[in-house]
Amino acid sequence: VLPHECIAISAKTGKGIEELKAAILERFSADFFFCDLFVPYAQFSEYAKIKPLLVERSSAFTDDGQVLSIVIPARYAEKVTPFLVKKTN
């Protein structure tokens, strides 16, 4: 008998993997802020101050700055407000 909060998965068939991913995301979504940012080149020094607090999921350079998809602990989310484009998952 499995405990109530368990998710059974199969290494052989992969059954349950999607349910596990969803449960992990749900558990950590309250602790982390997922979002897209735009950092103009002129503000890179400001972004550099908060960069150690976050994880860059993807990054692209444009003519005007850098577009990023990031994850940051929710307690630091206000630090990215100047660069925020949209909240994501």
Side-chain angles (χ1 to χ4, degrees):
V1 175
L2 295 174
H4 175 66
E5 294 182 3
C6 284
I7 297 173
I9 62 170
S10 169
K12 184 175 181 179
T13 66
K15 183 178 179 185
I17 295 293
E18 291 306 313
E19 292 86 353
L20 178 61
K21 287 180 185 178
I24 291 169
L25 183 59
E26 181 179 331
R27 164 60 182 93
F28 287 106
S29 65
D31 296 332
F32 293 92
F33 186 71
F34 297 76
C35 62
D36 292 339
L37 307 178
F38 177 75
V39 182
Y41 291 122
Q43 295 181 326
F44 264 33
S45 62
E46 291 301 311
Y47 176 71
K49 293 175 187 176
I50 61 172
K51 189 173 179 179
L53 303 174
L54 56 87
V55 173
E56 293 180 357
R57 297 169 71 191
S58 66
S59 172
F61 291 93
T62 70
D63 290 340
D64 300 319
Q66 189 174 10
V67 177
L68 302 125
S69 176
I70 64 113
V71 179
I72 189 166
R75 67 181 179 268
Y76 300 126
E78 77 282 349
K79 295 185 181 289
V80 299
T81 302
F83 310 112
L84 186 63
V85 174
K86 70 177 179 177
K87 183 178 177 185
T88 61
N89 286 345

